[in-house]
Amino acid sequence: MSKVVVSPSFGALFASFVFPAFALPKPESGRGHTVAVSISPLHLIMSVVELQAEYLAHPQFSASLIGGYGSIEAESSLGETLKFHLLEVGTQARGYFYGTSEEGAYGGLEVLYISVDVGTADVSGVASGTSVGGFAGYKWTWENFFIDSNFGLQNVGVTAGATDGAETAKAEKRKIGALANFGLGLSF
C-alpha cells in the first residue's frame, strides 16, 4: 500500500483556494475609517471613470454610492467612427462576515442604472437599463490604501431605441450574466 504525502506548502496553497477567508491572516480592525473612496482601473481602460464612495456604517455593514461617466469610440460596419456616451449610477449594500468593513470578506447586493447614447448626422440611439445582482468579495487594506474585488451574478434588463428621423426601432432584452468589480482606493 502506497502512502500519499502532502507537503505543508501544498496544503496551505490548496486551503487558500478552497477556504480563502480561513487561509488569510486575520484582518486588522479598529483603524477608525468611516469612508472608503475607490476608482475602477478596468473602466479607465475603456475611457470611463467609475467612482465608488463606501460609508462604513458598522463594523459588519457598509453602503456605497457608485457613479460613472465616459465615452467609448467604436467603428460601425460602414467604417464610420461612433462615440458612445455612458452614464451609470448605482448603490451597493455589503455585509462583512469575516473581518470588518475596514478589511475583510463580504457578501452584498448591487443595483445599477446605465444609460448609453450615440448619434451621427443621420441616426441617433439610446439604450438604458438596470442590473440587480449579488456578489461576494474581499477588501485588503494597508493603512489608508485598499484593494477591493468582488464577483457574482446579475440580472440585466436593457431597453434600446434608434431613429433616423423617418423610422424608429425599439428592442428590449433581459439576461443573467457575470458581475465583477475591482477597485483601488483610500479609506478615511
Side-chain angles (χ1 to χ4, degrees):
M1 178 179 222
S2 64
K3 193 176 193 184
V4 176
V5 178
V6 178
S7 70
S9 61
F10 174 78
L13 179 65
F14 177 75
S16 69
F17 285 108
V18 177
F19 304 104
F22 302 109
L24 295 169
K26 182 136 176 81
E28 186 180 323
S29 62
R31 292 182 175 99
H33 299 154
T34 56
V35 175
V37 179
S38 64
I39 189 166
S40 170
L42 301 177
H43 282 77
L44 288 174
I45 294 168
M46 299 182 299
S47 301
V48 175
V49 176
E50 182 188 82
L51 300 174
Q52 181 170 343
E54 180 183 14
Y55 175 60
L56 313 178
H58 183 274
Q60 283 6 96
F61 177 78
S62 72
S64 299
L65 292 177
I66 303 167
Y69 182 78
S71 297
I72 302 168
E73 289 189 0
E75 192 170 313
S76 75
S77 59
L78 302 173
E80 189 176 25
T81 300
L82 301 174
K83 193 168 194 175
F84 296 86
H85 300 283
L86 176 120
L87 171 70
E88 63 179 18
V89 178
T91 187
Q92 279 188 0
R94 297 177 176 187
Y96 286 78
F97 58 87
Y98 180 76
T100 68
S101 57
E102 292 181 291
E103 177 180 16
Y106 56 85
L109 178 69
E110 176 179 280
V111 178
L112 198 62
Y113 168 80
I114 301 172
S115 175
V116 178
D117 67 76
V118 63
T120 66
D122 302 323
V123 179
S124 65
V126 175
S128 62
T130 56
S131 69
V132 177
F135 57 84
Y138 200 92
K139 183 194 301 181
W140 294 268
T141 304
W142 297 270
E143 298 297 327
N144 291 53
F145 176 76
F146 69 89
I147 296 174
D148 186 15
S149 180
N150 59 63
F151 302 94
L153 289 175
Q154 63 186 342
N155 186 348
V156 181
V158 177
T159 302
T163 184
D164 66 359
E167 294 186 36
T168 301
K170 286 192 172 190
E172 289 186 25
K173 186 160 187 166
R174 185 157 292 285
K175 182 180 174 182
I176 294 182
L179 185 154
N181 294 299
F182 179 75
L184 303 173
L186 295 172
S187 296
F188 309 98

